[in-house]
Amino acid sequence: MSGRNTLIRSLHDVGLAAWFGGSLMGAVGLNGAAEHEGSTVAARARIASVGWAKWVPVNAAAIGAHLFGGGGLLAVNAHRVRTQHGVGASTTAKTIVTAAALAATAYARVLGEKVELASSSDPEDNQNADRHPIDLHQAQRQLACAQWAVPALTGCLVVLNALHGEQQRPMEQLHGMWEHARSVAPLVR
């Protein structure tokens, strides 16, 4: 890479750090605190729901920063993705894992809203819950799985970022481009 891309790299990395760290803290700390402090299933669900709902705007900003930075990095490194052996494969893997993390995050939010509605003490929420019955226990089980999937997937993204960093070392770039050239050009004897 010839130029510096500090801003887009920072958006990418800080966004991912917040996405990963926030989801891990929520799964461990917030859910653990709700489990410890809530006296009933509904109270535990309300405590956790309030905390997760407060995290949603920050998480959305973090994900947006990560995606914007990732798109920028892809644009400035398009030549490496095309010409350096291994970079295309790791970029494809990172794209797939990012899509899976986005899907898990969205699914967790949908389930979180269901739990929030089912455990609310607000009369209007209770009327909505009555119109759209929700099995609170089933939604909580599914939510627990989805909430652990997010830090697992974003943790994989952190590892893939480390791989991309290694692939940017000058000797790795030289070796990768040499391997790519060998694979696309016929051997001359």
Side-chain angles (χ1 to χ4, degrees):
M1 225 162 104
S2 59
R4 290 183 182 247
N5 307 107
T6 306
L7 178 62
I8 59 173
R9 187 176 304 280
S10 296
L11 288 170
H12 175 268
D13 292 352
V14 170
L16 179 57
W19 190 9
F20 170 70
S23 65
L24 184 60
M25 190 289 302
V28 174
L30 179 57
N31 290 348
E35 195 64 34
H36 184 265
E37 294 298 318
S39 57
T40 65
V41 171
R44 290 189 289 272
R46 271 194 308 278
I47 292 168
S49 292
V50 168
W52 281 109
K54 289 184 179 293
W55 175 244
V56 167
V58 175
N59 197 40
I63 293 168
H66 173 68
L67 295 175
F68 183 81
L73 287 174
L74 184 58
V76 299
N77 287 295
H79 67 286
R80 285 186 51 246
V81 174
R82 283 189 313 273
T83 61
Q84 185 179 344
H85 184 72
V87 175
S90 62
T91 301
T92 300
K94 190 173 170 190
T95 302
I96 291 168
V97 174
T98 300
L102 287 168
T105 301
Y107 184 58
R109 184 61 191 138
V110 167
L111 289 170
E113 287 175 336
K114 286 182 178 184
V115 168
E116 188 175 346
L117 185 64
S119 64
S120 177
S121 57
D122 182 351
E124 187 176 316
D125 287 344
N126 290 333
Q127 287 176 350
N128 286 336
D130 289 342
R131 281 194 298 270
H132 306 286
I134 299 164
D135 182 342
L136 180 60
H137 296 291
Q138 179 184 6
Q140 285 179 308
R141 283 192 304 276
Q142 293 169 334
L143 181 58
C145 291
Q147 285 176 338
W148 279 106
V150 176
L153 290 164
T154 53
C156 289
L157 289 173
V158 171
V159 172
L160 287 168
N161 282 345
L163 173 62
H164 275 190
E166 292 295 317
Q167 289 173 330
Q168 286 185 318
R169 291 176 180 229
M171 288 307 292
E172 285 292 317
Q173 286 187 38
L174 183 62
H175 176 73
M177 289 180 186
W178 171 255
E179 289 298 318
H180 176 75
R182 280 186 43 197
S183 70
V184 297
L187 293 176
V188 179
R189 294 185 188 231

PDB file of all heavy atoms in Angstrom, residues 120-158:
ATOM      1  N   SER A 120     -42.471  -6.352  29.372  1.00  0.00           N
ATOM      2  CA  SER A 120     -42.733  -4.963  29.732  1.00  0.00           C
ATOM      3  C   SER A 120     -43.849  -4.848  30.768  1.00  0.00           C
ATOM      4  O   SER A 120     -44.785  -5.647  30.797  1.00  0.00           O
ATOM      5  CB  SER A 120     -43.120  -4.165  28.478  1.00  0.00           C
ATOM      6  OG  SER A 120     -43.443  -2.837  28.816  1.00  0.00           O
ATOM      7  N   SER A 121     -43.738  -3.816  31.585  1.00  0.00           N
ATOM      8  CA  SER A 121     -44.814  -3.529  32.545  1.00  0.00           C
ATOM      9  C   SER A 121     -45.731  -2.418  32.020  1.00  0.00           C
ATOM     10  O   SER A 121     -46.694  -2.045  32.679  1.00  0.00           O
ATOM     11  CB  SER A 121     -44.219  -3.127  33.893  1.00  0.00           C
ATOM     12  OG  SER A 121     -43.362  -2.015  33.731  1.00  0.00           O
ATOM     13  N   ASP A 122     -45.467  -1.915  30.842  1.00  0.00           N
ATOM     14  CA  ASP A 122     -46.277  -0.874  30.217  1.00  0.00           C
ATOM     15  C   ASP A 122     -47.585  -1.494  29.706  1.00  0.00           C
ATOM     16  O   ASP A 122     -47.553  -2.472  28.949  1.00  0.00           O
ATOM     17  CB  ASP A 122     -45.485  -0.257  29.053  1.00  0.00           C
ATOM     18  CG  ASP A 122     -46.225   0.871  28.355  1.00  0.00           C
ATOM     19  OD1 ASP A 122     -47.416   1.095  28.629  1.00  0.00           O
ATOM     20  OD2 ASP A 122     -45.585   1.543  27.518  1.00  0.00           O
ATOM     21  N   PRO A 123     -48.747  -0.943  30.092  1.00  0.00           N
ATOM     22  CA  PRO A 123     -50.038  -1.499  29.648  1.00  0.00           C
ATOM     23  C   PRO A 123     -50.172  -1.558  28.126  1.00  0.00           C
ATOM     24  O   PRO A 123     -50.741  -2.508  27.590  1.00  0.00           O
ATOM     25  CB  PRO A 123     -51.075  -0.555  30.256  1.00  0.00           C
ATOM     26  CG  PRO A 123     -50.385   0.126  31.386  1.00  0.00           C
ATOM     27  CD  PRO A 123     -48.927   0.182  31.017  1.00  0.00           C
ATOM     28  N   GLU A 124     -49.657  -0.563  27.429  1.00  0.00           N
ATOM     29  CA  GLU A 124     -49.744  -0.568  25.961  1.00  0.00           C
ATOM     30  C   GLU A 124     -48.926  -1.727  25.384  1.00  0.00           C
ATOM     31  O   GLU A 124     -49.364  -2.400  24.448  1.00  0.00           O
ATOM     32  CB  GLU A 124     -49.237   0.765  25.405  1.00  0.00           C
ATOM     33  CG  GLU A 124     -49.462   0.909  23.907  1.00  0.00           C
ATOM     34  CD  GLU A 124     -49.030   2.279  23.399  1.00  0.00           C
ATOM     35  OE1 GLU A 124     -49.339   3.277  24.067  1.00  0.00           O
ATOM     36  OE2 GLU A 124     -48.381   2.319  22.337  1.00  0.00           O
ATOM     37  N   ASP A 125     -47.738  -1.970  25.937  1.00  0.00           N
ATOM     38  CA  ASP A 125     -46.931  -3.110  25.492  1.00  0.00           C
ATOM     39  C   ASP A 125     -47.639  -4.426  25.792  1.00  0.00           C
ATOM     40  O   ASP A 125     -47.587  -5.362  24.988  1.00  0.00           O
ATOM     41  CB  ASP A 125     -45.553  -3.099  26.175  1.00  0.00           C
ATOM     42  CG  ASP A 125     -44.649  -2.007  25.637  1.00  0.00           C
ATOM     43  OD1 ASP A 125     -44.939  -1.454  24.552  1.00  0.00           O
ATOM     44  OD2 ASP A 125     -43.629  -1.717  26.300  1.00  0.00           O
ATOM     45  N   ASN A 126     -48.314  -4.490  26.931  1.00  0.00           N
ATOM     46  CA  ASN A 126     -49.046  -5.707  27.290  1.00  0.00           C
ATOM     47  C   ASN A 126     -50.167  -5.979  26.297  1.00  0.00           C
ATOM     48  O   ASN A 126     -50.419  -7.140  25.943  1.00  0.00           O
ATOM     49  CB  ASN A 126     -49.610  -5.607  28.716  1.00  0.00           C
ATOM     50  CG  ASN A 126     -48.509  -5.654  29.754  1.00  0.00           C
ATOM     51  OD1 ASN A 126     -47.458  -6.220  29.522  1.00  0.00           O
ATOM     52  ND2 ASN A 126     -48.765  -5.060  30.904  1.00  0.00           N
ATOM     53  N   GLN A 127     -50.838  -4.916  25.846  1.00  0.00           N
ATOM     54  CA  GLN A 127     -51.900  -5.098  24.847  1.00  0.00           C
ATOM     55  C   GLN A 127     -51.304  -5.594  23.531  1.00  0.00           C
ATOM     56  O   GLN A 127     -51.863  -6.478  22.891  1.00  0.00           O
ATOM     57  CB  GLN A 127     -52.650  -3.784  24.630  1.00  0.00           C
ATOM     58  CG  GLN A 127     -53.550  -3.398  25.774  1.00  0.00           C
ATOM     59  CD  GLN A 127     -54.195  -2.027  25.552  1.00  0.00           C
ATOM     60  OE1 GLN A 127     -53.833  -1.295  24.634  1.00  0.00           O
ATOM     61  NE2 GLN A 127     -55.158  -1.693  26.415  1.00  0.00           N
ATOM     62  N   ASN A 128     -50.169  -5.018  23.130  1.00  0.00           N
ATOM     63  CA  ASN A 128     -49.498  -5.480  21.902  1.00  0.00           C
ATOM     64  C   ASN A 128     -49.045  -6.929  22.050  1.00  0.00           C
ATOM     65  O   ASN A 128     -49.160  -7.711  21.105  1.00  0.00           O
ATOM     66  CB  ASN A 128     -48.304  -4.595  21.576  1.00  0.00           C
ATOM     67  CG  ASN A 128     -48.716  -3.243  21.038  1.00  0.00           C
ATOM     68  OD1 ASN A 128     -49.806  -3.098  20.493  1.00  0.00           O
ATOM     69  ND2 ASN A 128     -47.860  -2.253  21.205  1.00  0.00           N
ATOM     70  N   ALA A 129     -48.533  -7.268  23.215  1.00  0.00           N
ATOM     71  CA  ALA A 129     -48.085  -8.644  23.452  1.00  0.00           C
ATOM     72  C   ALA A 129     -49.266  -9.615  23.409  1.00  0.00           C
ATOM     73  O   ALA A 129     -49.123 -10.742  22.934  1.00  0.00           O
ATOM     74  CB  ALA A 129     -47.365  -8.738  24.794  1.00  0.00           C
ATOM     75  N   ASP A 130     -50.429  -9.177  23.883  1.00  0.00           N
ATOM     76  CA  ASP A 130     -51.617 -10.024  23.838  1.00  0.00           C
ATOM     77  C   ASP A 130     -52.080 -10.255  22.399  1.00  0.00           C
ATOM     78  O   ASP A 130     -52.546 -11.342  22.053  1.00  0.00           O
ATOM     79  CB  ASP A 130     -52.759  -9.409  24.655  1.00  0.00           C
ATOM     80  CG  ASP A 130     -52.502  -9.477  26.155  1.00  0.00           C
ATOM     81  OD1 ASP A 130     -51.645 -10.287  26.580  1.00  0.00           O
ATOM     82  OD2 ASP A 130     -53.156  -8.701  26.894  1.00  0.00           O
ATOM     83  N   ARG A 131     -51.953  -9.235  21.558  1.00  0.00           N
ATOM     84  CA  ARG A 131     -52.342  -9.357  20.143  1.00  0.00           C
ATOM     85  C   ARG A 131     -51.359 -10.235  19.367  1.00  0.00           C
ATOM     86  O   ARG A 131     -51.728 -10.875  18.390  1.00  0.00           O
ATOM     87  CB  ARG A 131     -52.441  -7.980  19.496  1.00  0.00           C
ATOM     88  CG  ARG A 131     -53.725  -7.243  19.831  1.00  0.00           C
ATOM     89  CD  ARG A 131     -53.945  -6.054  18.910  1.00  0.00           C
ATOM     90  NE  ARG A 131     -52.911  -5.048  19.022  1.00  0.00           N
ATOM     91  CZ  ARG A 131     -52.929  -4.015  19.868  1.00  0.00           C
ATOM     92  NH1 ARG A 131     -53.957  -3.857  20.684  1.00  0.00           N
ATOM     93  NH2 ARG A 131     -51.952  -3.146  19.896  1.00  0.00           N
ATOM     94  N   HIS A 132     -50.098 -10.223  19.781  1.00  0.00           N
ATOM     95  CA  HIS A 132     -49.046 -11.006  19.123  1.00  0.00           C
ATOM     96  C   HIS A 132     -48.337 -11.841  20.194  1.00  0.00           C
ATOM     97  O   HIS A 132     -47.279 -11.457  20.675  1.00  0.00           O
ATOM     98  CB  HIS A 132     -48.037 -10.094  18.433  1.00  0.00           C
ATOM     99  CG  HIS A 132     -48.654  -9.121  17.488  1.00  0.00           C
ATOM    100  ND1 HIS A 132     -49.139  -9.499  16.269  1.00  0.00           N
ATOM    101  CD2 HIS A 132     -48.896  -7.789  17.593  1.00  0.00           C
ATOM    102  CE1 HIS A 132     -49.644  -8.436  15.654  1.00  0.00           C
ATOM    103  NE2 HIS A 132     -49.509  -7.391  16.437  1.00  0.00           N
ATOM    104  N   PRO A 133     -48.957 -12.966  20.574  1.00  0.00           N
ATOM    105  CA  PRO A 133     -48.391 -13.759  21.683  1.00  0.00           C
ATOM    106  C   PRO A 133     -46.939 -14.165  21.424  1.00  0.00           C
ATOM    107  O   PRO A 133     -46.565 -14.539  20.315  1.00  0.00           O
ATOM    108  CB  PRO A 133     -49.298 -14.987  21.738  1.00  0.00           C
ATOM    109  CG  PRO A 133     -50.526 -14.636  20.990  1.00  0.00           C
ATOM    110  CD  PRO A 133     -50.131 -13.583  19.996  1.00  0.00           C
ATOM    111  N   ILE A 134     -46.147 -14.056  22.489  1.00  0.00           N
ATOM    112  CA  ILE A 134     -44.723 -14.370  22.428  1.00  0.00           C
ATOM    113  C   ILE A 134     -44.421 -15.365  23.528  1.00  0.00           C
ATOM    114  O   ILE A 134     -44.798 -15.160  24.681  1.00  0.00           O
ATOM    115  CB  ILE A 134     -43.884 -13.091  22.625  1.00  0.00           C
ATOM    116  CG1 ILE A 134     -44.179 -12.088  21.516  1.00  0.00           C
ATOM    117  CG2 ILE A 134     -42.398 -13.412  22.682  1.00  0.00           C
ATOM    118  CD1 ILE A 134     -43.710 -10.683  21.833  1.00  0.00           C
ATOM    119  N   ASP A 135     -43.754 -16.435  23.164  1.00  0.00           N
ATOM    120  CA  ASP A 135     -43.280 -17.385  24.166  1.00  0.00           C
ATOM    121  C   ASP A 135     -41.977 -16.820  24.719  1.00  0.00           C
ATOM    122  O   ASP A 135     -40.925 -16.907  24.080  1.00  0.00           O
ATOM    123  CB  ASP A 135     -43.066 -18.755  23.526  1.00  0.00           C
ATOM    124  CG  ASP A 135     -42.618 -19.809  24.520  1.00  0.00           C
ATOM    125  OD1 ASP A 135     -42.142 -19.449  25.617  1.00  0.00           O
ATOM    126  OD2 ASP A 135     -42.736 -21.000  24.185  1.00  0.00           O
ATOM    127  N   LEU A 136     -42.051 -16.196  25.902  1.00  0.00           N
ATOM    128  CA  LEU A 136     -40.906 -15.506  26.487  1.00  0.00           C
ATOM    129  C   LEU A 136     -39.721 -16.441  26.679  1.00  0.00           C
ATOM    130  O   LEU A 136     -38.580 -16.084  26.349  1.00  0.00           O
ATOM    131  CB  LEU A 136     -41.296 -14.850  27.813  1.00  0.00           C
ATOM    132  CG  LEU A 136     -40.191 -14.085  28.548  1.00  0.00           C
ATOM    133  CD1 LEU A 136     -39.653 -12.948  27.686  1.00  0.00           C
ATOM    134  CD2 LEU A 136     -40.712 -13.544  29.877  1.00  0.00           C
ATOM    135  N   HIS A 137     -39.962 -17.628  27.174  1.00  0.00           N
ATOM    136  CA  HIS A 137     -38.860 -18.567  27.440  1.00  0.00           C
ATOM    137  C   HIS A 137     -38.174 -18.997  26.141  1.00  0.00           C
ATOM    138  O   HIS A 137     -36.942 -19.056  26.071  1.00  0.00           O
ATOM    139  CB  HIS A 137     -39.358 -19.774  28.228  1.00  0.00           C
ATOM    140  CG  HIS A 137     -39.850 -19.404  29.587  1.00  0.00           C
ATOM    141  ND1 HIS A 137     -39.014 -18.962  30.587  1.00  0.00           N
ATOM    142  CD2 HIS A 137     -41.102 -19.378  30.103  1.00  0.00           C
ATOM    143  CE1 HIS A 137     -39.717 -18.687  31.672  1.00  0.00           C
ATOM    144  NE2 HIS A 137     -41.002 -18.924  31.402  1.00  0.00           N
ATOM    145  N   GLN A 138     -38.949 -19.275  25.112  1.00  0.00           N
ATOM    146  CA  GLN A 138     -38.366 -19.670  23.831  1.00  0.00           C
ATOM    147  C   GLN A 138     -37.581 -18.504  23.225  1.00  0.00           C
ATOM    148  O   GLN A 138     -36.467 -18.689  22.731  1.00  0.00           O
ATOM    149  CB  GLN A 138     -39.450 -20.133  22.857  1.00  0.00           C
ATOM    150  CG  GLN A 138     -38.888 -20.526  21.501  1.00  0.00           C
ATOM    151  CD  GLN A 138     -39.967 -20.897  20.496  1.00  0.00           C
ATOM    152  OE1 GLN A 138     -41.158 -20.763  20.766  1.00  0.00           O
ATOM    153  NE2 GLN A 138     -39.540 -21.349  19.334  1.00  0.00           N
ATOM    154  N   ALA A 139     -38.150 -17.311  23.264  1.00  0.00           N
ATOM    155  CA  ALA A 139     -37.457 -16.137  22.720  1.00  0.00           C
ATOM    156  C   ALA A 139     -36.153 -15.887  23.474  1.00  0.00           C
ATOM    157  O   ALA A 139     -35.132 -15.557  22.866  1.00  0.00           O
ATOM    158  CB  ALA A 139     -38.359 -14.910  22.778  1.00  0.00           C
ATOM    159  N   GLN A 140     -36.158 -16.078  24.797  1.00  0.00           N
ATOM    160  CA  GLN A 140     -34.941 -15.870  25.585  1.00  0.00           C
ATOM    161  C   GLN A 140     -33.870 -16.907  25.243  1.00  0.00           C
ATOM    162  O   GLN A 140     -32.690 -16.574  25.180  1.00  0.00           O
ATOM    163  CB  GLN A 140     -35.254 -15.905  27.079  1.00  0.00           C
ATOM    164  CG  GLN A 140     -35.931 -14.647  27.553  1.00  0.00           C
ATOM    165  CD  GLN A 140     -36.266 -14.713  29.029  1.00  0.00           C
ATOM    166  OE1 GLN A 140     -36.880 -15.662  29.500  1.00  0.00           O
ATOM    167  NE2 GLN A 140     -35.856 -13.681  29.749  1.00  0.00           N
ATOM    168  N   ARG A 141     -34.276 -18.153  25.019  1.00  0.00           N
ATOM    169  CA  ARG A 141     -33.303 -19.195  24.634  1.00  0.00           C
ATOM    170  C   ARG A 141     -32.674 -18.866  23.286  1.00  0.00           C
ATOM    171  O   ARG A 141     -31.465 -18.968  23.108  1.00  0.00           O
ATOM    172  CB  ARG A 141     -33.977 -20.563  24.600  1.00  0.00           C
ATOM    173  CG  ARG A 141     -34.199 -21.184  25.971  1.00  0.00           C
ATOM    174  CD  ARG A 141     -34.604 -22.654  25.865  1.00  0.00           C
ATOM    175  NE  ARG A 141     -35.785 -22.881  25.045  1.00  0.00           N
ATOM    176  CZ  ARG A 141     -37.038 -22.781  25.476  1.00  0.00           C
ATOM    177  NH1 ARG A 141     -37.294 -22.448  26.720  1.00  0.00           N
ATOM    178  NH2 ARG A 141     -38.041 -23.022  24.657  1.00  0.00           N
ATOM    179  N   GLN A 142     -33.506 -18.491  22.333  1.00  0.00           N
ATOM    180  CA  GLN A 142     -32.990 -18.127  21.010  1.00  0.00           C
ATOM    181  C   GLN A 142     -32.102 -16.891  21.096  1.00  0.00           C
ATOM    182  O   GLN A 142     -31.055 -16.824  20.449  1.00  0.00           O
ATOM    183  CB  GLN A 142     -34.145 -17.873  20.040  1.00  0.00           C
ATOM    184  CG  GLN A 142     -34.939 -19.110  19.712  1.00  0.00           C
ATOM    185  CD  GLN A 142     -36.218 -18.782  18.961  1.00  0.00           C
ATOM    186  OE1 GLN A 142     -36.771 -17.691  19.065  1.00  0.00           O
ATOM    187  NE2 GLN A 142     -36.712 -19.755  18.199  1.00  0.00           N
ATOM    188  N   LEU A 143     -32.507 -15.931  21.909  1.00  0.00           N
ATOM    189  CA  LEU A 143     -31.738 -14.705  22.079  1.00  0.00           C
ATOM    190  C   LEU A 143     -30.372 -14.997  22.695  1.00  0.00           C
ATOM    191  O   LEU A 143     -29.368 -14.425  22.278  1.00  0.00           O
ATOM    192  CB  LEU A 143     -32.521 -13.707  22.933  1.00  0.00           C
ATOM    193  CG  LEU A 143     -31.865 -12.351  23.187  1.00  0.00           C
ATOM    194  CD1 LEU A 143     -31.558 -11.643  21.883  1.00  0.00           C
ATOM    195  CD2 LEU A 143     -32.779 -11.488  24.062  1.00  0.00           C
ATOM    196  N   ALA A 144     -30.342 -15.899  23.666  1.00  0.00           N
ATOM    197  CA  ALA A 144     -29.061 -16.243  24.295  1.00  0.00           C
ATOM    198  C   ALA A 144     -28.090 -16.799  23.250  1.00  0.00           C
ATOM    199  O   ALA A 144     -26.910 -16.430  23.237  1.00  0.00           O
ATOM    200  CB  ALA A 144     -29.278 -17.253  25.418  1.00  0.00           C
ATOM    201  N   CYS A 145     -28.573 -17.630  22.358  1.00  0.00           N
ATOM    202  CA  CYS A 145     -27.706 -18.179  21.294  1.00  0.00           C
ATOM    203  C   CYS A 145     -27.256 -17.073  20.338  1.00  0.00           C
ATOM    204  O   CYS A 145     -26.084 -16.993  19.983  1.00  0.00           O
ATOM    205  CB  CYS A 145     -28.447 -19.270  20.524  1.00  0.00           C
ATOM    206  SG  CYS A 145     -28.733 -20.753  21.487  1.00  0.00           S
ATOM    207  N   ALA A 146     -28.190 -16.246  19.913  1.00  0.00           N
ATOM    208  CA  ALA A 146     -27.857 -15.169  18.967  1.00  0.00           C
ATOM    209  C   ALA A 146     -26.877 -14.184  19.592  1.00  0.00           C
ATOM    210  O   ALA A 146     -25.941 -13.721  18.927  1.00  0.00           O
ATOM    211  CB  ALA A 146     -29.124 -14.444  18.519  1.00  0.00           C
ATOM    212  N   GLN A 147     -27.068 -13.870  20.883  1.00  0.00           N
ATOM    213  CA  GLN A 147     -26.166 -12.912  21.527  1.00  0.00           C
ATOM    214  C   GLN A 147     -24.752 -13.461  21.668  1.00  0.00           C
ATOM    215  O   GLN A 147     -23.805 -12.685  21.703  1.00  0.00           O
ATOM    216  CB  GLN A 147     -26.726 -12.487  22.887  1.00  0.00           C
ATOM    217  CG  GLN A 147     -27.879 -11.526  22.749  1.00  0.00           C
ATOM    218  CD  GLN A 147     -28.514 -11.165  24.080  1.00  0.00           C
ATOM    219  OE1 GLN A 147     -28.404 -11.882  25.060  1.00  0.00           O
ATOM    220  NE2 GLN A 147     -29.210 -10.045  24.096  1.00  0.00           N
ATOM    221  N   TRP A 148     -24.579 -14.754  21.752  1.00  0.00           N
ATOM    222  CA  TRP A 148     -23.228 -15.336  21.782  1.00  0.00           C
ATOM    223  C   TRP A 148     -22.663 -15.496  20.377  1.00  0.00           C
ATOM    224  O   TRP A 148     -21.439 -15.507  20.194  1.00  0.00           O
ATOM    225  CB  TRP A 148     -23.225 -16.662  22.537  1.00  0.00           C
ATOM    226  CG  TRP A 148     -23.181 -16.439  24.007  1.00  0.00           C
ATOM    227  CD1 TRP A 148     -24.208 -16.591  24.899  1.00  0.00           C
ATOM    228  CD2 TRP A 148     -22.068 -15.964  24.760  1.00  0.00           C
ATOM    229  NE1 TRP A 148     -23.793 -16.246  26.158  1.00  0.00           N
ATOM    230  CE2 TRP A 148     -22.480 -15.856  26.095  1.00  0.00           C
ATOM    231  CE3 TRP A 148     -20.764 -15.608  24.438  1.00  0.00           C
ATOM    232  CZ2 TRP A 148     -21.627 -15.428  27.116  1.00  0.00           C
ATOM    233  CZ3 TRP A 148     -19.917 -15.177  25.456  1.00  0.00           C
ATOM    234  CH2 TRP A 148     -20.355 -15.093  26.766  1.00  0.00           C
ATOM    235  N   ALA A 149     -23.528 -15.621  19.377  1.00  0.00           N
ATOM    236  CA  ALA A 149     -23.047 -15.737  17.997  1.00  0.00           C
ATOM    237  C   ALA A 149     -22.373 -14.444  17.547  1.00  0.00           C
ATOM    238  O   ALA A 149     -21.387 -14.481  16.801  1.00  0.00           O
ATOM    239  CB  ALA A 149     -24.199 -16.088  17.062  1.00  0.00           C
ATOM    240  N   VAL A 150     -22.887 -13.302  17.995  1.00  0.00           N
ATOM    241  CA  VAL A 150     -22.322 -12.009  17.551  1.00  0.00           C
ATOM    242  C   VAL A 150     -20.868 -11.840  17.985  1.00  0.00           C
ATOM    243  O   VAL A 150     -20.007 -11.578  17.141  1.00  0.00           O
ATOM    244  CB  VAL A 150     -23.206 -10.823  18.000  1.00  0.00           C
ATOM    245  CG1 VAL A 150     -22.565  -9.496  17.629  1.00  0.00           C
ATOM    246  CG2 VAL A 150     -24.598 -10.931  17.374  1.00  0.00           C
ATOM    247  N   PRO A 151     -20.514 -12.012  19.266  1.00  0.00           N
ATOM    248  CA  PRO A 151     -19.093 -11.871  19.601  1.00  0.00           C
ATOM    249  C   PRO A 151     -18.231 -12.974  18.984  1.00  0.00           C
ATOM    250  O   PRO A 151     -17.053 -12.743  18.667  1.00  0.00           O
ATOM    251  CB  PRO A 151     -19.051 -11.902  21.132  1.00  0.00           C
ATOM    252  CG  PRO A 151     -20.349 -12.427  21.582  1.00  0.00           C
ATOM    253  CD  PRO A 151     -21.334 -12.162  20.470  1.00  0.00           C
ATOM    254  N   ALA A 152     -18.800 -14.169  18.794  1.00  0.00           N
ATOM    255  CA  ALA A 152     -18.024 -15.231  18.141  1.00  0.00           C
ATOM    256  C   ALA A 152     -17.682 -14.835  16.702  1.00  0.00           C
ATOM    257  O   ALA A 152     -16.531 -14.964  16.264  1.00  0.00           O
ATOM    258  CB  ALA A 152     -18.803 -16.543  18.170  1.00  0.00           C
ATOM    259  N   LEU A 153     -18.667 -14.330  15.982  1.00  0.00           N
ATOM    260  CA  LEU A 153     -18.437 -13.948  14.579  1.00  0.00           C
ATOM    261  C   LEU A 153     -17.557 -12.698  14.461  1.00  0.00           C
ATOM    262  O   LEU A 153     -16.656 -12.641  13.619  1.00  0.00           O
ATOM    263  CB  LEU A 153     -19.778 -13.739  13.868  1.00  0.00           C
ATOM    264  CG  LEU A 153     -20.581 -15.018  13.637  1.00  0.00           C
ATOM    265  CD1 LEU A 153     -22.032 -14.709  13.292  1.00  0.00           C
ATOM    266  CD2 LEU A 153     -19.928 -15.864  12.551  1.00  0.00           C
ATOM    267  N   THR A 154     -17.812 -11.709  15.301  1.00  0.00           N
ATOM    268  CA  THR A 154     -16.974 -10.503  15.230  1.00  0.00           C
ATOM    269  C   THR A 154     -15.561 -10.806  15.721  1.00  0.00           C
ATOM    270  O   THR A 154     -14.600 -10.193  15.246  1.00  0.00           O
ATOM    271  CB  THR A 154     -17.594  -9.329  16.004  1.00  0.00           C
ATOM    272  OG1 THR A 154     -17.898  -9.730  17.340  1.00  0.00           O
ATOM    273  CG2 THR A 154     -18.863  -8.826  15.309  1.00  0.00           C
ATOM    274  N   GLY A 155     -15.415 -11.761  16.634  1.00  0.00           N
ATOM    275  CA  GLY A 155     -14.071 -12.204  17.029  1.00  0.00           C
ATOM    276  C   GLY A 155     -13.340 -12.830  15.850  1.00  0.00           C
ATOM    277  O   GLY A 155     -12.131 -12.630  15.677  1.00  0.00           O
ATOM    278  N   CYS A 156     -14.065 -13.588  15.036  1.00  0.00           N
ATOM    279  CA  CYS A 156     -13.469 -14.137  13.805  1.00  0.00           C
ATOM    280  C   CYS A 156     -13.009 -13.009  12.881  1.00  0.00           C
ATOM    281  O   CYS A 156     -11.957 -13.116  12.237  1.00  0.00           O
ATOM    282  CB  CYS A 156     -14.458 -15.028  13.068  1.00  0.00           C
ATOM    283  SG  CYS A 156     -14.782 -16.600  13.891  1.00  0.00           S
ATOM    284  N   LEU A 157     -13.785 -11.932  12.825  1.00  0.00           N
ATOM    285  CA  LEU A 157     -13.386 -10.785  12.004  1.00  0.00           C
ATOM    286  C   LEU A 157     -12.089 -10.153  12.521  1.00  0.00           C
ATOM    287  O   LEU A 157     -11.252  -9.723  11.729  1.00  0.00           O
ATOM    288  CB  LEU A 157     -14.501  -9.738  11.951  1.00  0.00           C
ATOM    289  CG  LEU A 157     -15.735 -10.124  11.144  1.00  0.00           C
ATOM    290  CD1 LEU A 157     -16.822  -9.072  11.305  1.00  0.00           C
ATOM    291  CD2 LEU A 157     -15.378 -10.323   9.689  1.00  0.00           C
ATOM    292  N   VAL A 158     -11.931 -10.109  13.836  1.00  0.00           N
ATOM    293  CA  VAL A 158     -10.691  -9.584  14.405  1.00  0.00           C
ATOM    294  C   VAL A 158      -9.511 -10.435  13.943  1.00  0.00           C
ATOM    295  O   VAL A 158      -8.457  -9.912  13.553  1.00  0.00           O
ATOM    296  CB  VAL A 158     -10.770  -9.527  15.952  1.00  0.00           C
ATOM    297  CG1 VAL A 158      -9.420  -9.201  16.564  1.00  0.00           C
ATOM    298  CG2 VAL A 158     -11.821  -8.504  16.395  1.00  0.00           C
TER     299      VAL A 158
END
